[in-house]
Amino acid sequence: AQSVAQPEDQVNVAEGNPLTVKCTYSVSGNPYLFWYVQYPNRGLQFLLKYITGDNLVKGSYGFEAEFNKSQTSFHLKKPSALVSDSALYFCAVRDRRSNDYKLSFGAGTTVTVRA
Amino acid sequence: DSGVTQTPKHLITATGQRVTLRCSPRSGDLSVYWYQQSLDQGLQFLIHYYNGEERAKGNILERFSAQQFPDLHSELNLSSLELGDSALYFCASSVRTGRETDTQYFGPGTRLTVL
């Protein structure tokens, strides 16, 4: 079984401040972890993924995420948020042992960056 | 733009009707996935096809079916529609490399409204 929790429905930050979107996961084995972003009336855009190796993953648009196995977390971060980062963010997980390739998504976190 | 296309963008129909949603994967991608996004259930995996063959089923109702054609495009058929089927339906595609680390790239979605 695999699941993701995004504990915050909403995150509000001022432009220029650091942005963190939290994600914790649960899988039977080791995880593949992903972050996607959804802008209004658009599909999901891939930001980054953790497969193996370095726990700090760098992705698109200045985002990065840190994999923490002991805390089963994969928080998304951006050092300096932009108003254009306002969107809905999804964390997703897949169990490495799974053969079905399905992604299990969290409920999403709405990020609002105020000017 | 992810390179995944979906038609139509919007679909409005009545209960009891049948509709077909179409997806064209990115050039070269062999895998197609269907997901349903609704307010109450979030993003749910429906089904995965690889090179024309069904590989995995998720929370897909018996009233729903899908197929992937020789040109790799896919169709999701929804029949005996109910009000609760109103949702955003996403298609995603990926290249299966055998290392199971493939990123799924999502299309813009089809918004289905059942009246």
Side-chain angles (χ1 to χ4, degrees), chain B residues 46-60:
Chain B
L46 295 178
I47 199 163
H48 169 207
Y49 274 83
Y50 171 71
N51 202 22
E53 293 186 6
E54 180 185 305
R55 284 305 176 97
K57 271 187 175 180
N59 300 320
I60 187 166

Side-chain angles (χ1 to χ4, degrees), chain B residues 52-112:
Chain B
E53 293 186 6
E54 180 185 305
R55 284 305 176 97
K57 271 187 175 180
N59 300 320
I60 187 166
L61 300 171
E62 287 191 9
R63 301 183 285 108
F64 296 1
S65 64
Q67 52 185 327
Q68 187 179 26
F69 295 86
D71 67 352
L72 301 176
H73 90 272
S74 178
E75 292 181 356
L76 180 66
N77 300 296
L78 316 176
S79 62
S80 302
L81 285 167
E82 302 175 359
L83 296 177
D85 297 328
S86 296
L88 193 53
Y89 291 84
F90 285 112
C91 167
S93 74
S94 72
V95 178
R96 180 170 176 164
T97 64
R99 294 189 297 171
E100 302 180 349
T101 60
D102 302 332
T103 297
Q104 295 180 24
Y105 292 92
F106 284 73
T110 293
R111 183 168 296 281
L112 173 66

Side-chain angles (χ1 to χ4, degrees), chain B residues 9-69:
Chain B
K9 288 187 178 179
H10 302 278
L11 200 48
I12 301 174
T13 189
T15 55
Q17 295 298 305
R18 172 188 171 94
V19 296
T20 297
L21 313 182
R22 183 189 169 100
C23 168
S24 293
R26 298 185 317 158
S27 178
D29 284 3
L30 301 178
S31 275
V32 169
Y33 312 78
W34 286 97
Y35 291 84
Q36 179 194 59
Q37 185 180 32
S38 61
L39 286 176
D40 57 342
Q41 303 236 354
L43 267 162
Q44 298 279 322
F45 168 75
L46 295 178
I47 199 163
H48 169 207
Y49 274 83
Y50 171 71
N51 202 22
E53 293 186 6
E54 180 185 305
R55 284 305 176 97
K57 271 187 175 180
N59 300 320
I60 187 166
L61 300 171
E62 287 191 9
R63 301 183 285 108
F64 296 1
S65 64
Q67 52 185 327
Q68 187 179 26
F69 295 86

